[in-house]
Amino acid sequence: MKKAAVDLDGFDRKLLHLLQRRGRASYVEMAEAVNLSESACLRRVRALEEAGVIGRYAAVIDERAVGLPLSVFVTVTLSSQAETALSAFEKAITNVREVAECYLMTGGSDYLLRLVVRDVDDLERVHAQELTRIPGVIRVSSSIAMRTVVKRAELPL
């Protein structure tokens, strides 16, 4: 389902910018930063949550610090692009814990995944025991990221 864009004014953008950088900011801090009353900030943030602009709150975890230093980009090709095949793959891939991101793609492959794994042995396990066992998968190709150059948690609002 396509979600319509929400009209954001300058205050909304400032609040979202602040929340992207400091998700634990209090309403007092937000009000001061964007020059609104505390109650106005509360109303605006609640409206942004209800509109689906703010989907959830989460901590940004350092992958290396928790023993998952390897990012691997994986392309997956299915035997069919029928809606049933795509849906079955998407349902199955949500159960693979090492998948940090999954995108349906145009071009030569059907899906692009980003995995987070401990090491090459862990990657081999995920490849052999998880990815290639999903029905309909006919090709899996992996590329290991050597270094992260840019990784933003913030949208350019």
Side-chain angles (χ1 to χ4, degrees):
M1 287 178 137
K2 230 178 189 180
K3 187 181 261 188
V6 175
D7 285 329
L8 303 173
D9 67 14
F11 289 114
D12 292 333
R13 289 180 190 284
K14 287 179 184 177
L15 285 168
L16 291 171
H17 181 74
L18 176 66
L19 285 170
Q20 287 184 114
R21 289 181 165 239
R22 295 183 33 230
R24 293 178 62 164
S26 70
Y27 287 106
V28 172
E29 293 169 310
M30 284 188 266
E32 188 175 296
V34 301
N35 201 25
L36 283 174
S37 70
E38 208 176 313
S39 60
C41 279
L42 175 62
R43 280 193 305 275
R44 284 177 174 271
V45 171
R46 292 266 162 81
L48 291 167
E49 291 168 348
E50 289 171 14
V53 174
I54 299 172
R56 65 188 174 99
Y57 295 90
V60 178
I61 307 295
D62 183 303
E63 294 160 0
R64 287 183 178 275
V66 295
L68 298 167
L70 217 55
S71 277
V72 182
F73 293 89
V74 178
T75 58
V76 176
T77 305
L78 303 181
S79 58
S80 168
Q81 287 74 43
E83 188 61 35
T84 54
L86 298 176
S87 293
F89 175 82
E90 290 173 13
K91 183 177 180 186
I93 203 68
T94 63
N95 295 317
V96 180
R97 293 183 38 197
E98 293 81 3
V99 174
E101 299 173 64
C102 175
Y103 301 95
L104 176 62
M105 303 297 289
T106 63
S109 312
D110 296 309
Y111 290 91
L112 175 65
L113 315 175
R114 184 174 72 88
L115 307 180
V116 289
V117 294
R118 290 187 307 273
D119 51 31
V120 174
D121 292 336
D122 200 22
L123 171 59
E124 182 180 11
R125 178 193 57 76
V126 173
H127 182 276
Q129 295 177 12
E130 302 279 353
L131 301 179
T132 58
R133 291 185 182 179
I134 297 174
V137 170
I138 60 169
R139 186 173 21 265
V140 175
S141 178
S142 302
S143 298
I144 295 174
M146 294 185 349
R147 174 178 48 218
T148 301
V149 178
V150 175
K151 184 177 181 181
R152 293 186 177 101
E154 298 176 41
L155 297 176
L157 301 175

